[in-house]
Amino acid sequence: MRRFELAEGSASKFWQIHLEGAAFTVTYGRIGTDGRSQKKEFGSAAQANEAAEKLIREKVGKGYSEVAQAAASTGAAKPKAAKPKAPTKAPAKTASKPASKSATAKQATAKQAKTKPVASKPAASKSAASKAAPPDFSLSGGKSMGARAQSNAATRFLEATTPEAWRAAAEKVSYSDYDVIRLLAHLIEHGLFVPACRLHVRGSTKALLRVSVEQVAQVLSQFEEPWVVTQPEDTPVIFGYFPVLLRVAREASSTLAELALPPTLARAAALVRSLGGERLNPEQGAQAVSMVAEVLPYGSERVAWLDEDDTPVPVAPERLLAALERIGGPHWIRGFPNPDRLPAEVASPALKGETLEEVGRALSIFNPAILQARNEPTARFFEVAEKLGEQTAAMMRVAGIRKAKKPKDIPAKAEYQLHPRDVNADPGFGQLGTARLDAWAEHWLSRYPNALTIGELGVEPTDEEFEAHDVGVFLRRLVFAGVPFSDALRRKLIGTPRPYEHNPDELDVRGFVSDVSWLGGDGASKLVPLLVSMAKEQTDERCALGLRLVVATAVRRWEGDAKIPEEVDELLSLGDPVDYDSEVAMQEAIGALPVGRAERVIFRTASQLDDPYKELTYAREGMSAVALRRFARLVAGGRENEDMWSHLGSGSLEVLGPEFGPVLSEALSGETLSESFMERIADAIHEDAFAELEQTVGKNTLDLKAELDGLVKEFGSGTVVYALSAGSPGKGLGRVGGLPAGFTGEDIPRHRGRKMVHAFTVDLRSAPELAARYPDARTLSVWIQGYSEDPERAQKLIPRTDAEVAEVTAEGGTELELLRLEVPAVVFDRDPPGRAAYGRQLLYTKPGFLLGGPIWLQTGPTGLDPEFIAQYDERLAPGANFGDAGICYSFAERCEWQCH
């Protein structure tokens, strides 16, 4: 078990994790309590360990420090890290600067000295504060900021009056938001910085979650209304202050109740107090309701709460409902200013016992679900609809039709007041019955005769074209929603793909198929027989293609125990999909068939695939021995082909089970397999299948040098490179990580004040081709900026002579192993031909290599580059972060990294 603690400002929290085989238990909470525990299970101990390490890295990134090995039982006594003694705070005037400070900074300093009276006197102890300079502040990279550096940083923040200036002030400190937030909190705690404008207020929200509650109260009491009031062109500042106010309410409720705040902040404080369970007087209740009404247009989730780990999360709807009930009583919704903005989870319970008219007042596109709980007679919905606006009236009428027991309960001709767009594929509209549905649809088709023939709309469609297009689209969606039109009308409405507006000779198959996304499971089982019949009867191949894809899309949504008709099988084909969505639909449709039928479809149509390796994506559990052998031959034949690997993700063939191992071993019998192939296939197949493969043929692994020598003979124009890898601990001059020979701690290069990371050091006697660039040097050390959001990052290439490396012995790290190789020069081209691409892949899978040129660098020229030094990943740069691709490219004058 490992335990981590965070003690900053008023925060005093622990987090610990206990690994138990293929599971772990996380316990967290405030120090001194037992906390809360959660257990998570994984498929293997390795997966559990990997997930645990990821969580640990996240906690360390948030400022947690490991304190000790915790006891195995969460109820056992927990070791506590000593909570840092609160540093002596300097008075506010310590932020002042000499007379050369700008007018803006002087005004800001004046605001710090001017404080409003606070009823609870949270800052009374400040009068006894020492005038001593604040303690040093440490950044996460180890850099320490003394009093002077802190004062300079505070001045830059105070003088920042634009977002660009604020960002520049932050970057002067660090590129890490975590460090900037911590520093701002430190400056606030020691009186060096107090927000003095709207920009400062917005930038300080997270910092105020780290300082003491007393300090928060003092800072908030100095805010002015223009700094926090909502402005039309801006995201409301107040969103960031809900968690801050909640901290004060939770830890010093009386302070928040008595604090003198500007109006907007006071209204937010009233809401926070009510959300926390406090009962408010009428004036405070009105303030809270006003704040809710102001927030709702942005979404109720913008009101943030704090979870057990003090992380802001959206407030739960039931908490908001309870607060509004405390403020306004059981009928609070009657006087609420904009109930139509309330989420359904809040509005629906509040409308129990209220009239349908009140429901109509609260109805909007944000919460149509509030009608689902109503049980009035059908006629009442139409009666109330007459009193509502056009949009809400349509929702009320559709709900009335949906709730009707039989068609005669629905007022005659009532449906004619509804546009197909108003119904919006609601399957409940089927309560009209087939006869009235057909008549209603024909009514709209008669008004817009081209509704079923109009294709893609042009750039500036006329109102008539727009309406006709919508009528056709929304009527068709009703068919796919399972509404029971007659078969004749369903055939008419489904139709076939329409032509593109800009190219009448082409059909919009993709758009036609996308309409089926409205198809529900019940509708699928009812519609598939009709679709099959239409596809078989269609003689135009382009139209038939669209209908076949619609069949596949319908089959993928099949629900229930009913058997999928076997006549579907002949309409499914691996070669039919026209885009990614229809390709997924085809895969899922074939996956819905019994496994024997699915195999027959795959074997019959696989030859239609442009990329034969796509067939591997159709692997599924329970496949026959014939299918396993087929897949094994594909893997064996494509093991050097990147197109095949692009279809094999982690565990993609695992569903084939252990039985795939002997079959794959047979297909690869007699082959020499590369280490990279074994690594990649291990990630794709069942672990027992891999064990079988490794046991039978996996020992015969590839000789990298011999393989590349063969490619040089094949392609000619060989060039020397050195494959790099980390070896065992040792004291040689070639090093990975640690401190290389010839360097002391004072010699570590820095970038913007932060120490750089030692990636690796090359003993140049082992690489004479590189040594030629550095005469008289014995080693070359590569130092790298550990983290950067820019594509380029800082590096230092530092040579050392024999005399220099003899002075200081290497410390830590491991040996750097070099393997001299000759590779075809064409390997470094952007698109190498045939087996040269295989050679490129062999080299790319190594942790790194020297010389040659970059492989798969997204920017700049490709090919051999005399300025190129090395390509390497994080295995050769311990402590560096190279993004999701994990690759860095060092040239003589620059260094780049990239994300894929």
Side-chain angles (χ1 to χ4, degrees):
M1 183 178 289
R2 299 176 65 181
R3 181 180 173 95
F4 300 78
E5 294 185 357
L6 174 66
E8 290 184 350
S10 63
S12 180
K13 301 177 288 186
F14 76 91
W15 182 88
Q16 64 190 34
I17 186 164
H18 183 200
L19 270 167
E20 304 169 280
F24 61 64
T25 301
V26 167
T27 305
Y28 58 90
R30 296 192 175 277
I31 293 176
T33 69
D34 289 340
R36 298 180 59 181
S37 296
Q38 295 177 342
K39 185 171 183 179
K40 189 167 184 180
E41 298 180 349
F42 297 84
S44 66
Q47 291 176 342
N49 187 64
E50 182 180 355
E53 289 299 325
K54 180 180 179 182
L55 288 176
I56 289 170
R57 288 195 296 271
E58 290 175 355
K59 286 298 173 186
V60 172
K62 291 182 178 180
Y64 282 75
S65 298
E66 187 164 8
V67 292
Q69 293 292 325
S73 170
T74 57
K78 302 176 180 66
K80 291 186 180 181
K83 188 173 181 178
K85 184 178 179 181
T88 304
K89 298 180 177 65
K93 66 181 180 180
T94 59
S96 60
K97 294 286 290 180
S100 61
K101 184 190 288 188
S102 70
T104 302
K106 290 179 181 178
Q107 293 169 4
T109 305
K111 288 187 181 294
Q112 293 181 51
K114 173 187 172 184
T115 60
K116 298 180 185 178
V118 180
S120 58
K121 300 180 182 178
S125 61
K126 298 286 182 182
S127 60
S130 168
K131 293 185 179 181
D136 286 0
F137 175 81
S138 294
L139 297 168
S140 57
K143 176 185 175 182
S144 180
M145 295 180 67
R148 183 183 182 87
Q150 293 176 42
S151 179
N152 289 340
T155 299
R156 286 192 290 268
F157 281 118
L158 287 167
E159 292 179 344
T161 58
T162 65
E164 293 75 19
W166 181 271
R167 186 161 52 250
E171 290 176 353
K172 280 280 188 180
V173 175
S174 170
Y175 283 102
S176 165
D177 289 341
Y178 169 72
D179 276 346
V180 173
I181 291 166
R182 288 175 53 246
L183 176 62
L184 280 171
H186 179 82
L187 297 177
I188 291 170
E189 282 277 26
H190 295 281
L192 296 175
F193 174 79
V194 174
C197 66
R198 185 179 180 86
L199 179 70
H200 298 168
V201 167
R202 185 182 289 279
S204 302
T205 54
K206 293 181 180 178
L208 288 175
L209 288 171
R210 290 179 165 270
V211 304
S212 68
V213 171
E214 293 78 14
Q215 193 74 47
V216 172
Q218 183 186 26
V219 171
L220 294 183
S221 70
Q222 298 177 63
F223 281 9
E224 297 179 5
E225 179 66 2
W227 302 351
V228 292
V229 68
T230 299
Q231 296 178 352
E233 72 280 1
D234 206 359
T235 303
V237 173
I238 204 64
F239 290 158
Y241 278 86
F242 282 119
V244 176
L245 293 167
L246 175 65
R247 267 202 64 214
V248 181
R250 190 169 61 186
E251 300 176 30
S253 58
S254 60
T255 295
L256 185 60
E258 299 170 4
L259 202 57
L261 298 171
T264 296
L265 208 55
R267 290 187 296 121
L271 175 56
V272 164
R273 290 166 58 196
S274 182
L275 288 170
E278 188 176 340
R279 294 197 175 275
L280 309 178
N281 62 39
E283 180 183 353
Q284 295 164 342
Q287 288 181 322
V289 169
S290 170
M291 178 52 63
V292 175
E294 181 177 315
V295 168
L296 285 177
Y298 300 92
S300 59
E301 70 279 359
R302 299 305 293 268
V303 181
W305 201 248
L306 293 178
D307 65 9
E308 294 85 349
D309 202 26
D310 284 346
T311 300
V313 295
V315 66
E318 55 268 23
R319 189 186 289 270
L320 178 58
L321 174 63
L324 291 171
E325 287 177 340
R326 275 192 297 274
I327 293 168
H331 298 292
W332 62 267
I333 198 166
R334 295 181 184 178
F336 193 77
N338 52 355
D340 56 316
R341 294 283 185 171
L342 289 166
E345 302 94 325
V346 176
S348 294
L351 288 165
K352 287 182 180 177
E354 301 291 347
T355 65
L356 197 56
E357 283 82 359
E358 190 67 41
V359 174
R361 191 174 78 89
L363 188 60
S364 79
I365 58 173
F366 299 97
N367 56 16
I370 66 175
L371 288 167
Q372 294 175 2
R374 308 304 297 195
N375 294 310
E376 283 84 352
T378 303
R380 278 283 291 145
F381 287 89
F382 293 92
E383 178 186 326
V384 173
E386 296 299 326
K387 308 171 187 176
L388 302 175
E390 181 179 350
Q391 185 180 74
T392 51
M395 293 180 188
M396 190 68 73
R397 291 185 179 107
V398 171
I401 292 173
R402 183 172 60 244
K403 291 177 179 295
K405 302 296 183 185
K406 43 189 174 293
K408 71 176 185 180
D409 294 338
I410 303 167
K413 301 291 185 180
E415 64 271 22
Y416 288 92
Q417 298 180 67
L418 293 169
H419 189 286
R421 183 171 51 241
D422 296 331
V423 182
N424 197 23
D426 187 338
F429 198 64
Q431 295 300 99
L432 268 175
T434 298
R436 290 178 69 171
L437 279 169
D438 283 9
W440 172 77
E442 292 290 4
H443 162 76
W444 285 100
L445 293 175
S446 65
R447 288 186 59 179
Y448 297 96
N450 60 336
L452 300 179
T453 57
I454 190 169
E456 180 189 36
L457 290 175
V459 177
E460 296 182 2
T462 65
D463 291 345
E464 182 77 12
E465 288 174 331
F466 184 83
E467 284 299 314
H469 181 269
D470 263 15
V471 166
V473 166
F474 284 97
L475 285 176
R476 195 174 307 115
R477 287 179 181 177
L478 279 170
V479 175
F480 292 126
V483 169
F485 294 108
S486 65
D487 275 1
L489 190 58
R490 288 197 296 176
R491 284 174 173 270
K492 182 177 181 179
L493 292 177
I494 292 171
T496 58
R498 261 63 70 191
Y500 284 107
E501 179 75 16
H502 62 279
N503 188 355
D505 294 330
E506 291 292 328
L507 296 182
D508 184 11
V509 174
R510 197 163 99 180
F512 177 66
V513 175
S514 70
D515 283 344
V516 195
S517 62
W518 298 87
L519 183 65
D522 184 54
S525 59
K526 294 176 181 176
L527 199 58
V528 163
L530 177 68
L531 292 171
V532 168
S533 174
M534 292 177 65
K536 286 183 173 181
E537 295 167 3
Q538 182 57 244
T539 56
D540 185 308
E541 175 52 31
R542 296 178 304 168
C543 293
L545 170 63
L547 285 165
R548 291 198 301 270
L549 290 174
V550 168
V551 169
T553 309
V555 169
R556 75 186 286 204
R557 298 184 180 276
W558 191 278
E559 292 179 2
D561 297 329
K563 180 182 177 183
I564 298 174
E566 292 192 18
E567 57 186 343
V568 163
D569 300 6
E570 62 186 278
L571 297 174
L572 300 180
S573 169
L574 274 61
D576 274 352
V578 294
D579 61 0
Y580 174 78
D581 290 335
S582 55
E583 187 172 290
V584 171
M586 185 62 68
Q587 286 182 330
E588 294 182 359
I590 294 174
L593 299 177
V595 66
R597 289 168 57 185
E599 286 186 13
R600 287 193 290 274
V601 172
I602 294 169
F603 298 162
R604 175 175 55 82
T605 64
S607 61
Q608 300 174 16
L609 290 170
D610 294 332
D611 177 357
Y613 300 111
K614 278 187 181 179
E615 185 178 340
L616 294 170
T617 63
Y618 287 85
R620 59 185 285 190
E621 187 176 0
M623 284 190 139
S624 68
V626 174
L628 294 183
R629 283 195 293 274
R630 185 182 179 96
F631 283 173
R633 287 195 295 270
L634 278 171
V635 172
R639 67 186 186 278
E640 298 176 9
N641 190 311
E642 278 305 302
D643 288 341
M644 184 198 79
W645 291 109
S646 69
H647 299 300
L648 294 185
S650 177
S652 56
L653 296 181
E654 190 171 359
V655 293
L656 298 178
E659 296 80 5
F660 191 53
V663 184
L664 184 58
S665 299
E666 180 185 358
L668 291 167
S669 177
E671 299 287 350
T672 300
L673 306 178
S674 68
E675 293 178 4
S676 63
F677 169 79
M678 295 300 288
E679 289 175 1
R680 297 172 88 174
I681 200 65
D683 192 44
I685 64 178
H686 191 280
E687 60 181 351
D688 292 340
F690 178 73
E692 171 74 20
L693 176 67
E694 192 174 38
Q695 179 65 32
T696 53
V697 297
K699 301 301 181 183
N700 186 23
T701 53
L702 170 144
D703 182 331
L704 179 62
K705 186 176 186 308
E707 192 78 358
L708 290 173
D709 285 345
L711 291 175
V712 170
K713 291 179 181 178
E714 183 176 340
F715 290 95
S717 302
T719 186
V720 172
V721 301
Y722 289 85
L724 306 176
S725 58
S728 57
K731 295 296 182 182
L733 294 181
R735 312 293 301 161
V736 175
L739 198 61
F743 287 82
T744 66
E746 289 72 29
D747 297 324
I748 297 175
R750 293 174 178 262
H751 175 68
R752 294 186 175 177
R754 299 183 66 177
K755 291 181 179 179
M756 300 177 79
V757 172
H758 172 233
F760 58 89
T761 293
V762 180
D763 182 349
L764 293 175
R765 286 187 181 175
S766 302
E769 292 82 0
L770 181 61
R773 303 188 194 180
Y774 297 92
D776 303 324
R778 175 61 189 274
T779 64
L780 178 69
S781 295
V782 177
W783 298 80
I784 190 75
Q785 181 184 356
Y787 175 81
S788 173
E789 293 183 356
D790 296 324
E792 293 196 8
R793 63 174 59 190
Q795 73 168 1
K796 293 285 187 181
L797 303 177
I798 303 179
R800 285 284 193 258
T801 65
D802 271 311
E804 289 171 325
V805 298
E807 289 181 1
V808 184
T809 305
E811 294 182 9
T814 59
E815 294 271 8
L816 176 69
E817 296 183 351
L818 277 66
L819 174 63
R820 188 178 189 277
L821 301 168
E822 279 198 58
V823 299
V826 70
V827 160
F828 300 101
D829 288 353
R830 187 173 299 279
D831 189 18
R835 279 174 45 82
Y838 164 60
R840 175 175 65 177
Q841 181 60 39
L842 291 177
L843 193 57
Y844 185 78
T845 56
K846 300 298 289 183
F849 60 87
L850 299 173
L851 306 177
I855 293 178
W856 282 318
L857 179 59
Q858 294 168 341
T859 59
T862 57
L864 296 177
D865 189 332
E867 296 295 308
F868 183 70
I869 301 294
Q871 175 172 325
Y872 48 97
D873 60 30
E874 292 165 8
R875 290 175 286 180
L876 293 182
N881 183 337
F882 297 147
D884 60 357
I887 302 292
C888 196
Y889 304 81
S890 285
F891 296 80
E893 301 297 332
R894 76 182 196 279
C895 178
E896 296 185 38
W897 67 281
Q898 65 185 20
C899 287
H900 284 165

